[in-house]
């Protein structure tokens, strides 16, 4: 149980990452991914990378610069422009719905204008899911200058779009529905220089 704990990615740039294991039975037609990050990086970095053998950016949360997030589904992306962080924790949730192609992006419990992405697509189920690196191949092909350095926490993946109430609950770390990946019961393996530590501040 990683409650009130964080992954600290100590080096910059880094070859370290964390492998996450989720039991996925079938392709995803809807999903929500949430996580909390704390970093002072000014360069591009990957937060959450879900690759299949057919598509290395099947799901990707990527931050090319401090005032921008990119959300990829099936190799295509939409951009969400955000205020430059005040060097604080940032909580993001991104959800996607195949039937409408609607992509939602929430930052610190607030929704951004919705965008269209990959209507009718299905996200493959046989996946390599990593924190801290962007996969340019299945489980590898890292560019160290896209690596994450800093602290990550509260990582979740659901096979559904969350309601606005649940999006706010995720931000506030309240009770959440059962997830494919849940921070409180995470199956993970650390590769390289990543340390699990108690969270220092809210």
């Amino acid at each position: 149980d990683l409650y009130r704990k964080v992954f600290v990615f100590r080096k910059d740039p880094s070859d370290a990452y964390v492998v996450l294991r989720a039991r996925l039975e079938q392709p995803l037609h809807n999903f929500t991914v949430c996580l909390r990050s704390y970093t002072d990086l000014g360069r591009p970095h990957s937060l959450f990378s879900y690759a299949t053998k057919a598509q290395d950016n099947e799901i990707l949360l990527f931050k090319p610069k401090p005032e921008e997030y990119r959300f990829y589904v099936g190799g295509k992306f939409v951009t969400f422009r955000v205020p430059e962080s005040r060097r604080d924790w940032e909580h993001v949730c991104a959800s996607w719905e195949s039937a409408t192609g609607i992509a939602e992006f929430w930052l610190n419990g607030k929704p951004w204008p919705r965008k269209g992405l990959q209507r009718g697509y299905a996200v493959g189920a046989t996946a390599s899911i990593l924190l801290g690196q962007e996969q340019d191949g299945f489980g590898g092909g890292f560019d160290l200058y896209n690596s994450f350095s800093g602290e990550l926490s509260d990582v979740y993946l659901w096979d559904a779009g969350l309601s606005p109430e649940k999006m706010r609950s995720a931000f506030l770390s309240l009770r959440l529905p059962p997830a494919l990946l849940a921070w409180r019961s995470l199956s993970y393996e650390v590769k390289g220089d990543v340390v699990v530590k108690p969270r220092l501040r809210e």
Side-chain angles (χ1 to χ4, degrees):
D1 185 354
L2 289 168
Y3 179 61
R4 299 186 72 81
K5 293 199 169 76
V6 299
F7 290 130
V8 182
F9 293 76
R10 299 193 324 152
K11 293 196 348 229
D12 173 29
S14 171
D15 58 0
Y17 58 101
V18 177
V19 181
L20 304 182
R21 294 195 174 79
R23 283 181 292 283
L24 290 154
E25 314 288 309
Q26 63 245 8
L28 297 173
H29 295 278
N30 306 283
F31 69 83
T32 306
V33 59
C34 295
L35 55 81
R36 216 177 286 277
S37 68
Y38 188 32
T39 180
D40 59 4
L41 286 176
R43 61 165 175 76
H45 55 277
S46 172
L47 294 161
F48 180 95
S49 170
Y50 176 119
T52 58
K53 293 204 163 81
Q55 175 51 256
D56 51 14
N57 294 336
E58 192 73 277
I59 303 173
L60 177 65
L61 268 179
F62 190 77
K63 208 164 180 200
K65 44 183 186 255
E67 60 283 353
E68 196 176 289
Y69 279 91
R70 279 187 193 166
F71 175 35
Y72 287 75
V73 175
K76 305 267 183 9
F77 70 89
V78 284
T79 297
F80 294 93
R81 286 175 190 79
V82 299
E84 192 165 342
S85 122
R86 300 183 306 283
R87 298 290 174 249
D88 207 343
W89 281 97
E90 286 191 358
H91 183 266
V92 296
C93 288
S95 79
W96 171 80
E97 181 178 77
S98 175
T100 59
I102 289 285
E104 281 187 30
F105 180 84
W106 292 66
L107 176 68
N108 295 335
K110 296 186 178 64
W112 255 231
R114 287 170 278 201
K115 300 197 173 183
L117 183 62
Q118 292 284 54
R119 179 187 282 186
Y121 189 75
V123 169
T126 308
S128 164
I129 309 176
L130 305 185
L131 302 176
Q133 297 285 353
E134 188 212 340
Q135 302 175 76
D136 285 326
F138 188 72
F142 308 143
D143 173 348
L144 300 192
Y145 290 95
N146 285 335
S147 63
F148 178 77
S149 166
E151 307 192 8
L152 282 181
S153 183
D154 295 341
V155 180
Y156 288 87
L157 174 66
W158 289 272
D159 57 355
L162 290 197
S163 68
E165 297 70 42
K166 290 287 185 277
M167 289 287 201
R168 284 188 277 273
S169 295
F171 169 58
L172 297 168
S173 296
L174 302 176
R175 275 188 72 85
L176 293 166
L180 297 171
L181 289 170
W183 190 246
R184 301 290 300 267
S185 57
L186 202 63
S187 175
Y188 69 92
E189 188 180 348
V190 167
K191 300 283 193 179
D193 196 346
V194 182
V195 185
V196 176
K197 297 293 283 180
R199 202 148 126 191
L200 290 180
R201 51 183 299 255
E202 289 314 297

